[in-house]
Amino acid sequence: MGEEGYKIETDEKRIHNRSDEAADILNDSDYIYDNPAFESYLNRIAQKLLDTYPYTHDVSIRMRVLKDPEFNAFAFANGFVYFHVGIIALAENEAQLASIMAHEITHVLERHLIKKQRSLYNKTAFLSLFDGLGVYALFPALMTVSSMAGFSQSLESRADVGGFDMLKKAGYDVNQAPKMFSGMIDYLKGEKIKTPFFFSSHPKLKKRVKNFNRLITKNNLKDVKGRVNSDEFNGFINDVLLENIHLVLSRGYFSTAEKNVERYIKKNPDDALGYYYRGEVYRQWQNKKKKKRDKAEDFDKAILAYDQALKYDAQHADAYKGKARIFQRQKKHDKAKKLFKKYLALSNDQDPYIQQYLNKE
Amino acid sequence: MKKYIVILCVVLCSGCAMTAWSPLKAKEYKFRGMGIKTTIPSDWYRNNLGGKGLHISKDGMALNLISINKFKFRQKLPHTEKKYEEGMTIQDIADVTIDNIKANKSIFNFKVNTNTPITISGLDAYRFEYSYETEQGLKKKGITCGLVEGKRVYAVTYEAPRLHYYDKTLSDFESLVSSFEVLSISK
């Protein structure tokens, strides 16, 4: 696959320097998902893929995870590959995670960033690609030195071919890759959110699915079951799902939050936490632009979920608080105050909003 | 005729030119477009290019900034998909405001240090103090106070670098908030 092994060239060195600076900012920030065991697991998957690469190279590939719910993964030329928690929470097994990873690693090893920059006439043209991304004030800066915004169709197709080759040689089930990309399309339809990230673009994802299906057919691998590795993956995914539920709830991606919560409950049917978060999703869920939600129905569902949480853990303080906040909004003050008192007794929290509410007549 | 056209152009152009900053006197102002009144402390300048809302600074926006913004219920917020809604408690409103800042990708290490209910001109309000770092590593602190009146959320925010500037103009912010009122006929 790809080209002969390479030495970093002068103009490429500049991109590497800028990558180092951008990676330093991210690595020193609280955007980093602090889970060394999981990071080490990701690096082991990367190593399995890298072991299949036949050429020498000067880049050290390292995996990191960002606390961000967007469906995104990107690589710097210097070898840092970043997964957003949002995209990991979508994967169902190691093979699916590896398919995204192999695609990004191919971008790095086949030097797609320097090829992209050299192909553009001047810096202005390069930067103009990232206009109009107001809310992504941080990420446009990173986009210029990463794979975040994607590449030309031919380079993306090359990354598909290179990624496919790595997955196949590493023994992974290549049929998992189109499943992962199709799953992303379904999630994006659910939220109706347009982001400028490569993996969040419907047409580009459809192209990935098409490319992988073509490669699977060409290689007669449709009925061949490769390695999926669900067990070790499942050991980590609970924490990732919980982290992502926090993030998507805060961002207001309620449809994704619901899917993540239901997946967590399916994996952990006796864990109060899953039911508590189901309650949080329904308590907070808001109308989308045109679709009206029945808030009373949402509150009923939330109370039912909090009660289920309390069935599995009668000392679950936050479930009492969630229920109390619903009764407060419904102006059922006696019920709300009783539950808030229970919450305060269990949690030792001195929440001043609750204190003030309890002190009101 | 040519002379008159030149004069007309000069007059029109000078009329169009807007200065970035206008000095404000230390007195009570009614900002009818915002539907609020408040007393501006001395030596603050209004930024005329800041878009919606009222933005004032004493030493430059990077060094101290007070912003007053008004949001309709269901209005799109800059960073989160969540919205302010009718029926929300003041704690719910504070939570959405915090989530909106958390979702801002241009800031790092955002932390809410305190979050308490208060009253502003007799109305239930929230107040939270926070800190964060800019991409360049500058440590900043801020306070946001907000209240609901009718179907709108009014928010007053103060931000300044943690060292030196934050304490220097904090009392100006406090006096502005203590005089803050929503006008009865607000648009």
Side-chain angles (χ1 to χ4, degrees):
Chain A
M1 65 176 276
E3 301 175 353
E4 289 299 328
Y6 71 95
K7 292 278 177 200
I8 297 165
E9 294 171 16
T10 313
D11 59 342
E12 204 167 9
K13 184 71 188 161
R14 279 198 293 275
I15 289 190
H16 277 245
N17 289 341
R18 287 178 65 198
S19 301
D20 290 344
E21 287 167 15
D24 282 349
I25 291 170
L26 283 179
N27 293 342
D28 291 341
S29 76
D30 65 347
Y31 277 111
I32 292 292
Y33 174 55
D34 188 19
N35 187 337
F38 183 61
E39 209 169 275
S40 161
Y41 169 60
L42 291 181
N43 279 306
R44 276 185 276 124
I45 301 172
Q47 196 52 54
K48 284 180 208 166
L49 297 168
L50 285 165
D51 287 346
T52 69
Y53 189 67
Y55 307 110
T56 57
H57 57 84
D58 282 353
V59 187
S60 162
I61 304 288
R62 291 148 292 177
M63 300 292 136
R64 302 234 65 184
V65 182
L66 295 179
K67 286 191 280 186
D68 192 292
E70 308 288 353
F71 302 130
N72 199 27
F74 61 95
F76 287 129
N78 65 358
F80 270 113
V81 178
Y82 291 88
F83 277 84
H84 287 209
V85 164
I87 206 168
I88 297 169
L90 205 62
E92 288 172 356
N93 51 54
E94 185 178 306
Q96 292 192 0
L97 205 52
S99 64
I100 301 284
M101 198 182 279
H103 181 96
E104 289 304 318
I105 290 174
T106 306
H107 280 315
V108 177
L109 296 181
E110 297 199 359
R111 308 157 78 192
H112 290 174
L113 272 153
I114 189 65
K115 284 177 182 168
K116 177 179 178 176
Q117 193 154 37
R118 282 174 186 162
S119 74
L120 293 163
Y121 292 112
N122 55 51
K123 199 182 172 192
T124 311
F126 188 56
L127 291 174
S128 71
L129 290 172
F130 311 108
D131 285 350
L133 305 176
V135 296
Y136 301 96
L138 161 67
F139 290 140
L142 303 183
M143 280 178 174
T144 59
V145 289
S146 77
S147 63
M148 189 180 281
F151 295 91
S152 67
Q153 201 166 303
S154 63
L155 288 180
E156 290 299 349
S157 293
R158 263 305 309 154
D160 286 340
V161 173
F164 178 87
D165 209 33
M166 276 187 180
L167 288 170
K168 189 179 69 175
K169 286 180 181 167
Y172 281 112
D173 181 357
V174 289
N175 291 289
Q176 294 299 319
K179 282 184 189 166
M180 175 77 187
F181 294 122
S182 298
M184 286 165 78
I185 294 172
D186 291 342
Y187 266 68
L188 288 166
K189 278 182 188 165
E191 293 297 353
K192 297 181 181 67
I193 292 163
K194 288 177 184 168
T195 58
F197 304 134
F198 172 72
F199 284 114
S200 302
S201 156
H202 287 208
K204 287 174 181 168
L205 283 173
K206 280 181 183 167
K207 181 77 181 163
R208 305 278 75 69
V209 174
K210 200 176 162 188
N211 278 356
F212 266 89
N213 282 333
R214 189 177 47 79
L215 289 163
I216 289 165
T217 308
K218 192 178 161 189
N219 286 271
N220 290 322
L221 291 172
K222 200 169 182 182
D223 298 317
V224 177
K225 299 287 174 205
R227 192 164 59 187
V228 171
N229 276 17
S230 292
D231 290 347
E232 194 171 9
F233 177 85
N234 283 339
F236 288 108
I237 198 65
N238 279 343
D239 288 343
V240 173
L241 281 172
L242 289 176
E243 182 69 40
N244 200 48
I245 291 165
H246 270 293
L247 294 168
V248 289
L249 269 178
S250 170
R251 198 65 63 86
Y253 296 168
F254 298 107
S255 169
T256 305
E258 185 188 39
K259 284 174 183 159
N260 281 189
V261 163
E262 294 313 319
R263 198 171 153 206
Y264 184 86
I265 290 173
K266 201 173 172 187
K267 284 178 180 294
N268 310 276
D270 299 331
D271 186 353
L273 208 50
Y275 301 100
Y276 161 71
Y277 278 118
R278 183 190 273 167
E280 284 296 288
V281 170
Y282 285 117
R283 182 178 70 80
Q284 296 184 44
W285 204 321
Q286 296 181 321
N287 290 338
K288 278 282 174 190
K289 280 171 197 165
K290 288 174 187 168
K291 204 175 165 188
K292 279 259 176 191
R293 286 193 72 81
D294 184 340
K295 205 57 222 168
E297 192 182 312
D298 276 344
F299 282 162
D300 287 347
K301 284 182 184 171
I303 285 172
L304 199 65
Y306 291 131
D307 284 341
Q308 278 177 288
L310 292 169
K311 193 180 104 184
Y312 288 104
D313 178 6
Q315 307 296 306
H316 200 291
D318 287 332
Y320 287 107
K321 186 182 179 184
K323 263 181 92 170
R325 288 184 74 169
I326 290 175
F327 288 134
Q328 185 186 8
R329 275 188 71 166
Q330 292 176 328
K331 304 196 189 308
K332 295 174 182 169
H333 298 301
D334 288 345
K335 280 184 174 181
K337 285 183 179 183
K338 195 176 158 192
L339 291 164
F340 273 136
K341 281 177 188 165
K342 185 88 179 166
Y343 164 73
L344 291 178
L346 287 170
S347 69
N348 290 323
D349 184 6
Q350 297 300 313
D351 188 324
Y353 288 94
I354 297 176
Q355 301 284 1
Q356 189 207 44
Y357 178 66
L358 290 176
N359 291 331
K360 273 187 181 174
E361 285 302 312
Chain B
M1 183 64 186
K2 202 174 172 183
K3 187 177 149 190
Y4 289 118
I5 290 171
V6 171
I7 291 169
L8 185 65
C9 286
V10 169
V11 168
L12 284 175
C13 288
S14 61
C16 292
M18 185 191 273
T19 54
W21 295 95
S22 311
L24 294 168
K25 288 178 183 165
K27 64 165 193 163
E28 184 184 276
Y29 282 86
K30 283 182 181 170
F31 298 100
R32 294 193 185 279
M34 292 285 293
I36 55 148
K37 70 174 181 179
T38 190
T39 300
I40 302 289
S42 58
D43 302 324
W44 284 76
Y45 293 78
R46 180 176 186 171
N47 185 281
N48 299 313
L49 308 173
K52 285 182 180 173
L54 174 72
H55 310 281
I56 65 171
S57 178
K58 200 166 194 172
D59 303 292
M61 284 167 98
L63 300 179
N64 38 44
L65 175 67
I66 297 173
S67 291
I68 303 175
N69 290 290
K70 182 173 72 171
F71 303 93
K72 285 181 191 166
F73 284 159
R74 305 287 309 149
Q75 184 179 328
K76 173 96 180 77
L77 296 175
H79 305 292
T80 182
E81 294 293 317
K82 282 186 172 178
K83 295 178 174 78
Y84 300 122
E85 281 187 334
E86 200 160 7
M88 281 181 157
T89 65
I90 202 68
Q91 188 173 16
D92 294 331
I93 298 286
D95 287 350
V96 171
T97 311
I98 290 167
D99 283 335
N100 186 50
I101 303 176
K102 271 187 193 169
N104 180 353
K105 289 179 200 267
S106 65
I107 64 172
F108 293 85
N109 303 324
F110 171 76
K111 279 191 187 77
V112 174
N113 302 314
T114 64
N115 183 7
T116 51
I118 57 167
T119 55
I120 297 175
S121 63
L123 296 168
D124 283 344
Y126 67 82
R127 174 191 169 109
F128 62 86
E129 300 184 18
Y130 59 91
S131 54
Y132 70 88
E133 287 176 41
T134 66
E135 196 179 349
Q136 291 75 29
L138 179 66
K139 290 181 168 62
K140 284 193 157 188
K141 280 174 74 175
I143 302 173
T144 291
C145 301
L147 58 88
V148 177
E149 173 67 0
K151 291 185 174 181
R152 290 172 182 82
V153 175
Y154 294 83
V156 190
T157 300
Y158 169 66
E159 270 194 14
R162 193 188 66 183
L163 289 176
H164 183 67
Y165 285 97
Y166 183 81
D167 290 337
K168 189 182 157 194
T169 43
L170 179 60
S171 60
D172 283 358
F173 168 73
E174 302 288 11
S175 72
L176 185 147
V177 170
S178 65
S179 65
F180 183 89
E181 274 183 54
V182 177
L183 294 171
S184 53
I185 311 161
S186 76
K187 287 186 179 177

